[in-house]
Amino acid sequence: MTATPPVLTQDVISAEIAQARRAYTESLDAGAAPLHHPPRAYPPYRSSLARHPRRPLVLVDDPDAVELTGPVFGVTDVTDLDADLTRRHHGEPIGERIRVTGRVTGRDGRPVRGQLVEIWQADSAGRYAHQRDQHPAPLDPNFTGAGRCLTDDEGWYAFTTIRPGAYPWRNHDNAWRPAHIHFSLFGTAFTQRLVTQMYFPGDPLFAYDPILQSVTDDAARSRLVATYDHGLSIPEWSLGYRWDIVLDGPSATWTEETR
């Protein structure tokens, strides 16, 4: 008779997060360089143990051939409507309307122009418009949760959307993801893609989330959290958040390519 495995609790995950944090602090005290990106296998984030590559990457002899089978996001040119996730349906979505904006720069602070920036997110109740998301929260029929824009000559992007809700996931018992927005940035080709997540300041779930806590360096983790900017808030319309993205260098924004 097969024994029932013990329930993986938040206390266990939190203890593992604390242990990883202590180990990282001790490595810094011993003179190690800061880690701006977490290890590919981070035990508290259970699926990371099985999902990262364990063999050498496959060499692509013809890089251009990758473009022929790469993803295509949208069948038309990018328009202003694509950046407003609140105007994609006949009705208005439910939730707190927000504006998220920032600059995309390189390590030298120079703007990255014409960068395709895409976002996707849950609705205000924490539901994604995806058939695999079936947790019992209301799905907003007037919110698809995906948008895109191009950075301007100064590297600025801007989206109008709804603040997403927290949602459960099955990493462990009673696991909840903090509110976040997924960001995707493309260079000049689909093979030049970076994916990351933006979080909201003051979220009480930060300490419990092994995905965010996998970024064990405090400074690197803080760069994933947007700043509320009252000057970006529009009277009687939306609250404003600023989140800048640095593509490389010691102040780079953490991205998921190491996963």
Side-chain angles (χ1 to χ4, degrees):
M1 184 174 181
T2 303
T4 302
V7 175
L8 183 60
T9 66
Q10 180 67 58
D11 287 344
V12 172
I13 293 297
S14 294
E16 292 180 359
I17 290 173
Q19 174 58 36
R21 180 75 60 85
R22 285 193 297 270
Y24 178 67
T25 300
E26 291 171 359
S27 71
L28 293 179
D29 292 342
L35 294 177
H36 300 294
H37 293 275
R40 292 179 176 178
Y42 180 72
Y45 182 10
R46 284 296 188 264
S47 62
S48 72
L49 301 177
R51 67 190 296 184
H52 69 83
R54 297 178 182 273
R55 298 181 181 181
L57 299 179
V58 176
L59 178 64
V60 178
D61 295 325
D62 183 7
D64 292 335
V66 177
E67 298 293 318
L68 300 178
T69 57
V72 177
F73 294 90
V75 295
T76 62
D77 293 337
V78 178
T79 69
D80 291 340
L81 183 61
D82 294 331
D84 190 341
L85 283 66
T86 69
R87 298 171 55 204
R88 310 294 289 278
H89 299 272
H90 292 298
E92 293 237 12
I94 298 172
E96 177 186 312
R97 190 184 294 111
I98 61 173
R99 181 173 173 80
V100 178
T101 186
R103 293 184 74 216
V104 180
T105 62
R107 71 167 64 200
D108 56 2
R110 294 182 180 180
V112 180
R113 304 177 179 90
Q115 183 89 27
L116 176 60
V117 182
E118 297 177 322
I119 63 171
W120 65 97
Q121 62 170 93
D123 64 19
S124 61
R127 278 286 299 273
Y128 284 98
H130 192 285
Q131 62 182 0
R132 294 188 63 183
D133 187 351
Q134 298 295 325
H135 88 271
L139 180 62
D140 192 335
N142 293 312
F143 189 75
T144 303
R148 60 181 183 162
C149 71
L150 296 173
T151 56
D152 65 14
D153 287 344
E154 295 300 320
W156 286 94
Y157 72 87
F159 291 98
T160 300
T161 184
I162 298 296
R163 178 163 176 157
Y167 60 81
W169 63 307
R170 297 179 178 178
N171 185 75
H172 54 277
D173 184 55
N174 201 21
W176 291 82
R177 295 277 358 256
H180 61 279
I181 297 177
H182 297 270
F183 273 72
S184 166
L185 296 97
F186 284 100
T188 58
F190 283 119
T191 52
Q192 299 173 344
R193 187 189 191 197
L194 298 176
V195 177
T196 188
Q197 299 177 28
M198 184 206 85
Y199 297 85
F200 293 86
D203 196 312
L205 291 173
F206 283 167
Y208 302 98
D209 182 43
I211 294 181
L212 179 59
Q213 293 301 323
S214 70
V215 186
T216 50
D217 186 79
D218 291 341
R221 189 171 59 257
S222 68
R223 293 195 290 270
L224 295 176
V225 182
T227 300
Y228 172 72
D229 188 331
H230 200 66
L232 296 174
S233 296
I234 301 175
E236 301 183 37
W237 181 251
S238 65
L239 296 180
Y241 291 88
R242 177 165 179 173
W243 191 56
D244 295 329
I245 301 171
V246 181
L247 295 183
D248 59 3
S251 297
T253 303
W254 174 76
T255 57
E256 298 175 6
E257 86 279 2
T258 54
R259 289 288 178 203

